[in-house]
Amino acid sequence: MLKKERYREFVNYFSTHNPDAQTELNYRNPYELLVAVILSAQCTDKRINQVTPTLFERFPDVESLAASNPEEVFTYIRSVSYPNNKAKHLVGMAQKLLSEFSSEVPEKIEDLIKLPGVGRKTANVISSVVFHQPAMAVDTHVFRVSNRLGLTSNATTPLAVEKQLVQYLPKDTIAIAHHWLILHGRYICLARKPKCEECPITHMCRYFEKTHKTLSIDISANKSEEPDVLDIKDTGNPNLRKLIKRL
């Protein structure tokens, strides 16, 4: 299947079956989403959603967070990954928003990445979710799934994946495609053992094509070849003889 065909099948399937895909992080405004995304680095959305209610109760806005300190913030986020660093990032982010952006979350990627704790992935999430821009945030799920499906080729960095996805996806689907890829990676195309038997898009998946083809060849080869029973028995290996009997 050609790459353009894969993209067409990808968009057609998910636009039909998951047209309203969105982030699983709970938030009520741009400030809360920014905090949640910073916290979600190398941590599950489920865990972040458990932490943020009490965090936002104590720090409901940029001003209250900027007036705090990392030590206090740490007590609210201790159960997430890298809580010490993230506590420092959150306070620093709030202080910078207060001093340079009038407490407003900026729209431009180049402004967002100036904030402590905000890299290109986080900036793209805010740009696409809050401001509805055609930005593609590449996390581990997006990186893995786009490669397995065959949407990317020889893309060894998140930026390379981002560029290829933005190049081939229709502009009006880029923002939601980020969620399609994440959700597919989170629930179906798992890192260690993808659930290919449950996957509805194996017909367009390069990974499935390769693994299924290999499996078919192996099965055909096993059926067509008769084991040399006499030679194996002659080795005197009792374990091999037991194996032959089972076969």
Side-chain angles (χ1 to χ4, degrees), residues 199-213:
C199 180
I201 55 173
T202 53
H203 64 284
M204 58 147 290
C205 178
R206 184 174 60 189
Y207 174 84
F208 183 81
E209 288 173 1
K210 291 181 178 180
T211 55
H212 183 69
K213 181 178 180 181

Side-chain angles (χ1 to χ4, degrees), residues 22-26 36-37 39-52 121 139 141 178-179 182-183 186-187:
Q22 57 187 333
T23 179
E24 293 186 317
L25 290 170
N26 296 331
V37 176
L39 288 173
S40 71
Q42 299 183 28
C43 195
T44 66
D45 287 1
K46 181 179 179 180
R47 169 61 61 183
I48 302 308
N49 288 336
Q50 293 172 345
V51 168
T52 50
K121 185 206 76 173
D139 67 354
H141 295 304
H178 160 75
H179 300 300
I182 283 182
L183 295 174
R186 185 172 291 163
Y187 298 109

